[in-house]
Amino acid sequence: MAVAFRGGRGGVGSGQSTGLRSFFSYRIFISALFSFLFLATFSVVLNSSRHQPHQDHTLPSMGNAYMQRTFLALQSDPLKTRLDLIHKQATDHLTLVNAYAAYARKLKLDASKQLKLFEDLAINFSDLQSKPGLKSAVSDNSNALEEDSFRQLEKEVKDKVKTARMMIVESKESYDTQLKIQKLKDTIFAVQEQLTKAKKNGAVASLISAKSVPKSLHCLAMRLVGERISNPEKYKDAPPDPAAEDPTLYHYAIFSDNVIAVSVVVRSVVMNAEEPWKHVFHVVTDRMNLAAMKVWFKMRPLDRGAHVEIKSVEDFKFLNSSYAPVLRQLESAKLQKFYFENQAENATKDSHNLKFKNPKYLSMLNHLRFYLPEMYPKLNKILFLDDDVVVQKDVTGLWKINLDGKVNGAVETCFGSFHRYGQYLNFSHPLIKGSFNPNACAWAFGMNIFDLNAWRREKCTDQYHYWQNLNEDRTLWKLGTLPPGLITFYSKTKSLDKSWHVLGLGYNPGVSMDEIRNAGVIHYNGNMKPWLDIAMNQYKSLWTKYVDNEMEFVQMCNFGL
């Protein structure tokens, strides 16, 4: 058994030794084979590279692409990596310098020293990039770069980069500030454009709201006319009042189609008059509102013995197109075209001229003021009042003022260069330029004491007709009554104390309350009339306190006062 056991162990050890030798011989054979294949492949690649010198290296074949890049990298010049970095730095700083130069041009700094420096630096960078040695070395990998040339080039590039960085650091804060200023200017310009557009739109909207007839006014007129129709016997015309032609009394002229406004003017005069029975009111309206006006004063007669005469424009027969140039012009097709053609289309384009398309300029009521001597031939003096005024004290002192032979007593409105003749008349026209002084002080319509005898003596109505005929094409002045008034009463106007007539309550929120309290007459000239919703609240109560709220139709028509 023992022999058998030892023999078995010796057989096994011999078999294992033989297997190991066979295994290692096989590995050596495989390694030698792979080495041979590697060397053969390497030899083929080198021979292929040498026999194809004109092959495009940028498009290597798929088989040898990796190998080719590997051997090119091994053969490259060690300075090329630094060269590529320097080239990239030069390119980046050239771009940055050009950008700052562009900002300088945008900011209108063309003549500045900084722009010149930036442009010179950009040229230097371009020159460096275009140097034959650098250009060929960067574009052609086969060209070796000499170390001395490289160091010289590197020094030049670094100097330029340093200079560029210093200039950019110095300029950055200034340029950023300038850019902010420019952006701010651009923003301001854009906002100004928007503001101008908004102002035009606002002017149009304000004009529409100011010149449209409010529902309450329309309601009042309809109620009054309805009352007249329902009770014709009650509202028969009374015989003429002799007081209407008595020159010893205080006479007022009020021309309007607004019933509530006229009632406030008349009521304010009567309530503040010391002797109201000596006051006579000549109210003239159009045919449409004549019945309503008469019914109002019939239902609400004046207190304390004051007198009122109500007529329509048509009652004055001398006012026809053959006598009054303005009537002839108002009826002309040319003027009708000016008012109505493309009015909606041009509304927002020219808000300034739009105000001259106000319907009141088509009404003869607005021009009656130039015919006062003919309308009231037996009177010597008359006080003209607009329908948007309120009388706050007894104004009989106006009749006692010595006008020094002048026709018109009015409050002047000029201050500095504002409200002078040059603003109302076209002084580029030779007739205007040769007849008037552009610096002459303008005055206000709305409260004017007229000496009718002096008017007749100076033939002011003839003067008015003369200039109105010349202005048929509107080259001397725009539409309205103030410009022809300034012409007609040029050098014929007596300046009154400003406390008699305070203006601006229809557009100026800054009128002093002290001025208002001391004023004889306050005037809501402007678009914000006190009977409209757009009236200024701080002034509205000065008007509403004279509204006859006990009148039943005022309550029914919801004036919201």
Side-chain angles (χ1 to χ4, degrees), residues 247 249-253 279-280 369 372-373 379-386 395-412 443-455 460 489 492-497 500-501 521:
L249 302 179
Y250 303 110
H251 294 265
Y252 301 80
H279 295 256
V280 182
R369 64 194 72 188
L372 289 171
L379 302 183
N380 300 323
K381 281 188 175 182
I382 194 167
L383 182 65
F384 170 77
L385 295 175
D386 271 342
V395 291
T396 54
L398 289 168
W399 276 263
K400 301 171 185 176
I401 294 176
N402 183 3
L403 296 181
D404 299 325
K406 302 292 180 66
V407 177
N408 175 28
V411 170
E412 292 182 337
W443 42 266
F445 266 132
M447 190 223 70
N448 306 79
I449 183 72
F450 288 110
D451 185 336
L452 301 183
N453 291 326
W455 186 317
C460 291
F489 302 113
K492 302 180 184 70
T493 298
K494 169 80 172 181
S495 178
L496 303 180
D497 188 274
W500 279 113
H501 186 192
V521 176

Side-chain angles (χ1 to χ4, degrees), residues 3-4 34 116 186 224 249 452 467 509:
V3 173
F34 272 103
K116 186 70 169 66
D186 294 341
L224 291 169
L249 302 179
L452 301 183
W467 288 101

